Amino acid sequence: AAFFADAWKLPFNSLLTMRGSPFYLMAQESAEERRRRTAGPMGSRSSSAADDGRPEFIHVDMMTLRGNLARFRYAENVFGMIGTQSVQLQYKHDASLILLLPPSNQHVHIMQVLKRMMDSIPTDAPGESKSFISQLIAAHSLTELRFVQVPRMLVDFSGGMIPTLKHMNMTEIFDASTANLSSMVKNANSDSGKLHVSHLLHKVMLPLVDQRTDDMELDADIAAENEAFGGAPNGGRIRITFNRPFFAFLVGKDGDLLGSSLILNPAQE
């Protein structure tokens, strides 16, 4: 496992973090399904139909970025999905974090669509995952937002490394016909045959944290963007609060997808 170490170009100010904010958990059934399950013969709620005990929301510390310091790379209706919102948060060393939020009235459906979309990308084709991310990045443009709010949490990105390493021409150790790692194993014998690597997992832990920024000096790139627009933003009308399940994509400086995660419950990440 590895911890991703970088700093935000525009840090979350801990003085603006809202303690005990609600984060709404994803429903396991639609409102109509729940109504049918809990209704009696005449449509009234049945006293024998109890809920499954899951809370509808949990309390989290919600970090805040105000829109009066910088413009954000923002997108709406991503991949034609009406009501989706996305923001790309930049790190100092060119990596970025894309957070994708479904609309509140149908987030279960949108989540399923996005999950199927990600699952459809072949694990042995890094180029296709890069194409997916390239399209996602291209949808974003510099926009004035009122604020961005994200739960303080630790994101776990896990995935297979073999496709990426093969893309870097590191292939022999994964080929059973050419690899021979027997010398790495104690008491290896001829009956065990040649050893090769069949699976390799990488795990990246990404802390989403805030910091005290009383006298923050704006990053040079942000200052240049503000100057290009004729000054600092006034703060737009659009607000984006990640207070329900969302997707997170960690993107490298070359546009490679370093990891993706579906955030269902920040308290369990």
Side-chain angles (χ1 to χ4, degrees):
F3 279 87
F4 181 83
D6 205 341
W8 299 111
K9 280 190 175 180
L10 183 64
F12 291 91
N13 190 341
S14 59
L15 296 176
L16 301 178
T17 297
M18 302 171 63
R19 317 288 183 202
S21 297
F23 183 94
Y24 297 92
L25 303 178
M26 187 164 65
Q28 298 302 299
E29 56 187 4
S30 68
E32 177 63 18
E33 289 171 336
R34 183 173 180 176
R35 186 191 67 77
R36 291 175 181 175
R37 176 175 64 81
T38 58
M42 301 301 294
S44 61
R45 186 177 177 88
S46 170
S47 60
S48 61
D51 291 330
D52 59 7
R54 288 189 54 176
E56 293 186 353
F57 66 88
I58 59 172
H59 291 104
V60 299
D61 292 342
M62 193 69 75
M63 305 186 299
T64 301
L65 284 174
R66 286 181 176 171
N68 61 337
L69 293 177
R71 292 164 180 84
F72 296 89
R73 286 172 172 79
Y74 173 78
E76 290 181 347
N77 306 327
V78 181
F79 297 119
M81 299 178 189
I82 303 300
T84 54
Q85 292 179 287
S86 180
V87 65
Q88 184 178 10
L89 303 178
Q90 299 291 139
Y91 290 100
K92 286 189 174 181
H93 296 95
D94 297 325
S96 66
L97 182 68
I98 298 178
L99 303 178
L100 182 59
L101 183 71
S104 58
N105 62 339
Q106 54 178 327
H107 71 274
V108 175
H109 168 69
I110 296 293
M111 286 302 223
Q112 292 170 345
V113 172
L114 287 172
K115 187 69 166 61
R116 285 198 299 270
M117 186 183 299
M118 284 302 298
D119 290 343
S120 68
I121 298 174
T123 56
D124 59 349
E128 293 198 30
S129 64
K130 189 167 184 175
S131 173
F132 170 84
I133 288 299
S134 296
Q135 294 178 53
L136 185 56
I137 292 174
H140 292 71
S141 60
L142 285 173
T143 306
E144 290 194 15
L145 304 181
R146 178 67 62 187
F147 58 72
V148 176
Q149 292 183 310
V150 183
R152 186 165 58 192
M153 56 185 294
L154 188 66
V155 185
D156 182 355
F157 294 105
S158 299
M161 279 291 288
I162 291 180
T164 301
L165 294 178
K166 283 184 175 180
H167 190 60
M168 297 167 63
N169 295 321
M170 297 176 61
T171 59
E172 290 189 2
I173 63 171
F174 307 113
D175 189 337
S177 64
T178 59
N180 186 3
L181 305 178
S182 302
S183 60
M184 299 175 60
V185 181
K186 226 176 182 182
N187 302 322
N189 55 64
S190 58
D191 295 334
S192 61
K194 294 181 178 180
L195 297 180
H196 70 287
V197 176
S198 60
H199 187 70
L200 186 63
L201 183 71
H202 83 286
K203 191 181 187 76
V204 178
M205 306 300 291
L206 173 64
L208 293 185
V209 296
D210 49 9
Q211 65 187 62
R212 188 74 174 259
T213 56
D214 296 330
D215 301 312
M216 184 185 69
E217 182 176 339
L218 278 183
D219 179 87
D221 289 343
I222 294 176
E225 288 173 355
N226 286 345
E227 185 176 349
F229 277 88
N234 296 318
R237 297 181 179 180
I238 301 172
R239 309 175 183 187
I240 178 168
T241 299
F242 291 85
N243 61 353
R244 54 187 180 273
F246 60 93
F247 269 98
F249 302 96
L250 183 61
V251 183
K253 65 178 181 179
D254 296 322
D256 294 311
L257 178 61
L258 302 181
S260 63
S261 184
L262 171 57
I263 313 299
L264 295 173
N265 184 340
Q268 294 178 353
E269 288 294 319

